[in-house]
Amino acid sequence: MVNPKFKIQNSQKLSIEFMKPYISCVVAASALTAAAGVNTGRLHISDLAVLKSDNSITLNLSVSPDNWGIKSNEKVILMPAIIAGSDTVMLDPITVAGKRAWFYEVRNGNRSPLLSKTGTGKQIDYSRTVDYLPWMETSTVEILVDTISECNCSDRFSPSGSDVLKVAQLNYSQQAILPKFNYIVPGDTLEKNFSLSGRANIRFMVNKTDIDWSYAGNYAELDSILLSLNKVKDNPDATVKEISLCGYASPEGPYANNVRLAKGRTEVVKEYVRKHSTLPASLYKTSFVAEDWQGLKKWLEVNPIPGSQQMIAFIDDPKIPLETKNDIFRQRFPEAYPGLLKEVYPLLRHTDYRITYNVRKYYDVNEIRQVMLTNPRNLSQNELYLLAKSYPQGSKEYFEVFSLAARLFPDDATANLNAGLASISVGDLTGAAGYLERAGENPKADYARGVLAVMNKDFASARTLLEKAEAAGAEGASEMLQQIDAFEESYQNGGVTIL
């Protein structure tokens, strides 16, 4: 490939037009294949580097022309090029010539620093910069090698061989990490059982089981139970199975009296609700807690005051008998007791309720979609999963359904895991972290957390999680580890792989 005429087209994209019939007829550079045995060692190329800035690419290399073993009348032309398919940019050539061929070049006016005579020991340090073009994002750096011998008939040269040496692979595209989203299909139970829970802080007459109707808040507290109950009762697809009421008294006064108060007050609340709900008495189940020590403990944990830790340790001590516990507590913590009695103990006198019911099953996706809009609490996880799968993965609707499932079943590991994966699929990595914290401890949860770590570019954490998931047989873990390897390799070498 000597004396080619170059025509520059479209920002350094070159086409090669060979003008003379005695010149080596190398077709399109991108169509050449590397000849066996061609390598940078044979050509004495070293310090090869490809550097990219925002707008340009620079190729650096060094060529030592000693001991090339070429004849006096031969020269070797090295033509670096950046190639991708039919797109090519040619860089300035390097010429290494034997003695006679070198004199021929000089006599004909070639004074280029890229011309060297073999055997001189003079190294050629090569650096050329070209504009970065979009098609170079994935391309190769190749060196077209022509060996040319002098004819005896004239001052022309005739070809003796051509090779192409691929020296670097360029890939400046953003390495895409494509996780596999391993959603869990929620179990489909024979019955869809649900429950509504709440707490009513009802004031009673002092040391009596009568409701204090002068306390205005009692109506609202009692109605809160009725409102929840009527919400289920008026649902045409729901059937009430049980209404559980548990009454609590505060830890003050004789224990036996607190038993009487907690039990009696629970019965009063039950009769009020039963009378106003018109549901059969057989549905009601009552229980009581004579002294709400656990409620006091929770308050102290949330609202620390002097001596909180000691009081919590006292509450947790199983050796203290319930019958005398409140008397001992009052004596042991005399400074805190008056304030607790006035501010906290009224909150410990309450009635907790749970309404258990079941709802008929829905089999048609369109019906499930309508129920989601009107009464989403009627839906099971399995029905929500079927609805989510009716939308394209990664769509807004797909994400919204899985998010709703996690809100309706906030303590369920499967609901949170699926919502976490859906959040990752739409790029909500912060939301995904919250869901996956509640996804439980299992291989699929480890895999999902590993995927989240990958998307956050926290590869150290991702490897730990994915290797744990892989060891437990989690689907997709091995593939994700391989993607991390490829991404990190691409990141470390700046998108350049020296071949």
Side-chain angles (χ1 to χ4, degrees):
M1 190 160 55
V2 178
N3 296 329
K5 176 183 178 182
F6 297 108
K7 294 198 298 182
I8 300 178
Q9 300 174 342
N10 299 327
S11 301
Q12 294 185 323
K13 178 182 175 183
L14 304 182
S15 65
I16 306 174
E17 179 185 341
F18 294 98
M19 298 182 63
K20 298 183 180 180
Y22 55 82
I23 300 299
S24 169
C25 293
V26 181
V27 287
S30 60
L32 293 173
T33 57
V38 175
N39 54 63
T40 55
R42 194 196 88 175
L43 299 177
H44 299 262
I45 295 174
S46 61
D47 301 324
L48 180 67
V50 182
L51 309 174
K52 179 184 176 297
S53 67
D54 290 340
N55 302 310
S56 65
I57 289 180
T58 299
L59 173 65
N60 294 331
L61 57 86
S62 297
V63 177
S64 178
D66 281 351
N67 304 317
W68 272 41
I70 61 177
K71 299 177 182 178
S72 178
N73 64 337
E74 288 182 338
K75 64 179 178 180
V76 177
I77 300 176
L78 309 179
M79 177 75 76
I82 302 174
I83 299 172
S86 61
D87 294 306
T88 303
V89 166
M90 312 294 286
L91 283 68
D92 294 336
I94 301 168
T95 302
V96 177
K99 183 177 180 180
R100 183 177 176 185
W102 182 81
F103 279 116
Y104 178 86
E105 289 289 323
V106 172
R107 187 168 62 246
N108 283 276
N110 187 351
R111 305 295 185 190
S112 170
L114 299 180
L115 170 66
S116 179
K117 182 168 63 174
T118 185
T120 63
K122 181 181 178 182
Q123 178 175 284
I124 300 173
D125 294 320
Y126 182 91
S127 181
R128 289 295 182 272
T129 299
V130 297
D131 291 341
Y132 176 76
L133 302 174
W135 59 262
M136 295 177 183
E137 183 176 67
T138 53
S139 57
T140 58
V141 178
E142 304 181 11
I143 297 178
L144 286 65
V145 184
D146 271 350
T147 303
I148 302 167
S149 298
E150 181 183 3
C151 290
N152 292 325
C153 55
S154 68
D155 60 355
R156 297 174 179 175
F157 288 86
S158 62
S160 64
S162 297
D163 292 328
V164 173
L165 173 63
K166 293 184 178 182
V167 296
Q169 184 74 45
L170 309 185
N171 185 358
Y172 297 119
S173 61
Q174 179 65 45
Q175 179 71 33
I177 295 182
L178 303 174
K180 183 175 183 179
F181 295 104
N182 298 328
Y183 293 91
I184 298 178
V185 182
D188 187 11
T189 57
L190 293 175
E191 280 195 346
K192 291 162 51 181
N193 294 313
F194 298 92
S195 65
L196 286 177
S197 301
R199 170 169 293 184
N201 286 96
I202 302 165
R203 293 289 181 91
F204 289 85
M205 304 291 287
V206 176
N207 203 30
K208 294 183 179 181
T209 58
D210 298 331
I211 296 175
D212 183 0
W213 294 110
S214 65
Y215 181 65
N218 278 342
Y219 287 102
E221 295 294 324
L222 287 164
D223 282 347
S224 68
I225 304 176
L226 288 170
L227 285 172
S228 296
L229 186 55
N230 289 335
K231 187 181 297 183
V232 177
K233 189 183 71 170
D234 296 339
N235 182 347
D237 293 341
T239 302
V240 178
K241 306 296 288 185
E242 185 177 278
I243 305 158
S244 299
L245 299 168
C246 183
Y248 292 77
S250 56
E252 55 178 310
Y255 180 79
N257 190 53
N258 288 334
V259 170
R260 179 185 67 84
L261 291 173
K263 186 176 181 180
R265 289 170 177 175
T266 304
E267 289 296 323
V268 169
V269 172
K270 183 195 81 170
E271 288 304 313
Y272 178 90
V273 174
R274 186 189 64 79
K275 179 181 177 181
H276 291 81
S277 69
T278 68
L279 286 171
S282 60
L283 295 180
Y284 291 85
K285 305 295 180 185
T286 61
S287 60
F288 64 90
V289 174
E291 297 176 345
D292 190 9
W293 288 107
Q294 291 305 308
L296 178 58
K297 175 184 174 181
K298 289 180 181 178
W299 189 92
L300 291 168
E301 289 173 340
V302 176
N303 306 278
I305 60 175
S308 286
Q309 293 304 313
Q310 292 84 351
M311 285 186 274
I312 290 172
F314 175 88
I315 292 171
D316 288 338
D317 189 347
K319 297 189 296 295
I320 301 174
L322 286 175
E323 291 77 10
T324 57
K325 193 165 188 172
N326 59 35
D327 290 332
I328 299 171
F329 182 84
R330 184 177 65 253
Q331 294 167 10
R332 188 170 296 183
F333 305 103
E335 293 182 1
Y337 186 80
L340 294 175
L341 182 64
K342 180 180 179 180
E343 302 295 336
V344 182
Y345 277 35
L347 302 176
L348 305 181
R349 304 161 196 151
H350 56 89
T351 301
D352 290 356
Y353 62 91
R354 178 182 294 273
I355 303 161
T356 304
Y357 62 99
N358 61 31
V359 178
R360 75 174 180 88
K361 296 177 70 171
Y362 307 102
Y363 298 96
D364 181 76
V365 170
N366 291 323
E367 186 179 22
I368 295 172
R369 186 176 293 112
Q370 184 59 36
V371 173
M372 176 180 165
L373 297 175
T374 57
N375 200 350
R377 290 191 176 276
N378 277 4
L379 297 174
S380 68
Q381 275 200 72
N382 184 268
E383 289 162 341
L384 288 166
Y385 182 87
L386 293 176
L387 178 58
K389 286 299 184 178
S390 72
Y391 296 112
Q393 183 169 319
S395 65
K396 177 184 176 183
E397 295 81 3
Y398 188 87
F399 165 71
E400 287 177 345
V401 175
F402 278 123
S403 296
L404 173 62
R407 292 196 299 274
L408 293 176
F409 305 93
D411 299 322
D412 187 87
T414 295
N416 281 286
L417 188 146
N418 286 344
L421 291 173
S423 297
I424 295 173
S425 74
V426 297
D428 181 11
L429 303 185
T430 300
Y435 288 126
L436 294 180
E437 284 181 0
R438 302 185 294 274
E441 297 299 327
N442 57 76
K444 291 185 178 180
D446 288 332
Y447 171 79
R449 294 183 188 111
V451 170
L452 177 61
V454 169
M455 304 312 289
N456 281 318
K457 304 298 187 294
D458 182 1
F459 295 121
S461 297
R463 283 189 183 280
T464 299
L465 289 162
L466 291 170
E467 286 170 358
K468 181 180 177 183
E470 181 185 36
E475 182 182 358
S478 298
E479 292 79 357
M480 281 302 300
L481 286 167
Q482 291 172 7
Q483 289 194 56
I484 293 175
D485 290 339
F487 186 93
E488 288 189 320
E489 181 180 352
S490 174
Y491 180 81
Q492 290 169 358
N493 63 25
V496 179
T497 302
I498 303 299
L499 303 175

